[in-house]
Each structure stands twice: as C-alpha cells, then as structure tokens.
Amino acid sequence: MNNDRHVGLGTGLGLDVDLDTDVARHPQRVSGVSADLEQAFAVLRQLRELAGDPSAAQDDERVYDFSIRWGTLLSGRLERLAHYAARGELTREQAERYQALRSRLRDAAPLAERLDLAGPGVVPHLTLPGSPRP
C-alpha cells in the first residue's frame, strides 16, 4: 500500500484504510459530518476566546458551561469523525478539514490545560496525500 494514501488512527487500533480506494468506494457524503466539523471549529474558536480573556477565564460559571461543549467535542464529535475517517467515508474535502481540525486541537492543548479542561491528546492521526508523515 502506498503510504501517501494511507489512513491510520495511530492509536494501536489497527484501523487503516486507503484514501483513494475508500473515497471512491464511499462517494456519498455521510450525513452530519460537515456540521460536526463546523461545530468543532466553533468550539475551538470559543476556547481561544475564553482562554484569551483573563476575566472570563476566572469566571467559573463560564468555564463550566464551556467545559460541557468541550467534552461533547472530545467524546462525541471527534469519535464520530474518527470512526468515519477510519472507514474511509469522509470526502477528500472533509478528510482535509478533519486533518486541519486535529492539528488545531493539538495546538489548543495548552489553552485547555490553562482552563483545567481535558486535553485533546487522543486525537487520531490521519495521513493525506502529500502530507508529511509524523
């Protein structure tokens, strides 16, 4: 299998797919994936805003309310996206956005830690054509 076309979760789960084969095999969009991606990027923007505002970051009520959205992202939407990515059911555009999302989540880990939120350290790895291998 050509490594440039390989999708692996990188979590030891043994879930690997070939992007060219699987994107062609699943040409239809999975319902809700684009909405999941939009919501995930919105939550990341909210994290940056909250962590960047010292008075808001000290407001326990605001942080708690945000922690619910953050937890939903980590334990719901990301797992769903990882599932469809592993099965090769994301379109190429969705897979690229998912890759960008995971990169931004890794970058946002210190902000989450600053607010005493769970870190996004379990975000799986997806290799897209032309992407450098980690």
Side-chain angles (χ1 to χ4, degrees):
M1 177 184 316
N2 179 344
N3 283 335
D4 288 342
R5 304 278 187 230
H6 181 260
V7 177
L9 285 182
T11 58
L13 297 177
L15 300 172
D16 299 319
V17 292
D18 183 291
L19 273 180
D20 288 337
T21 301
D22 290 320
V23 168
R25 194 179 318 149
H26 301 288
Q28 298 177 347
R29 290 181 181 253
V30 175
S31 178
V33 168
S34 293
D36 285 345
L37 288 164
E38 286 301 318
Q39 184 62 32
F41 281 108
V43 170
L44 276 173
R45 282 189 300 276
Q46 293 167 4
L47 173 64
R48 284 192 300 273
E49 290 169 9
L50 184 60
D53 181 348
S55 64
Q58 296 299 317
D59 183 343
D60 290 339
E61 215 170 288
R62 274 184 83 176
V63 172
Y64 175 78
D65 287 344
F66 176 77
S67 74
I68 302 301
R69 290 187 299 278
W70 182 249
T72 300
L73 170 65
L74 296 183
S75 65
R77 293 184 191 278
L78 285 179
E79 287 185 19
R80 181 174 186 273
L81 290 167
H83 169 78
Y84 288 123
R87 291 176 48 133
E89 294 185 29
L90 300 182
T91 65
R92 186 161 309 277
E93 177 187 338
Q94 290 169 336
E96 289 170 353
R97 290 189 69 214
Y98 179 54
Q99 172 109 339
L101 173 65
R102 285 172 322 158
S103 176
R104 290 184 187 176
L105 282 165
R106 284 189 293 272
D107 293 344
L111 299 177
E113 185 177 316
R114 188 180 318 153
L115 296 173
D116 201 26
L117 301 172
V122 295
V123 179
H125 176 73
L126 172 68
T127 302
L128 295 171
S131 299
R133 306 262 324 151

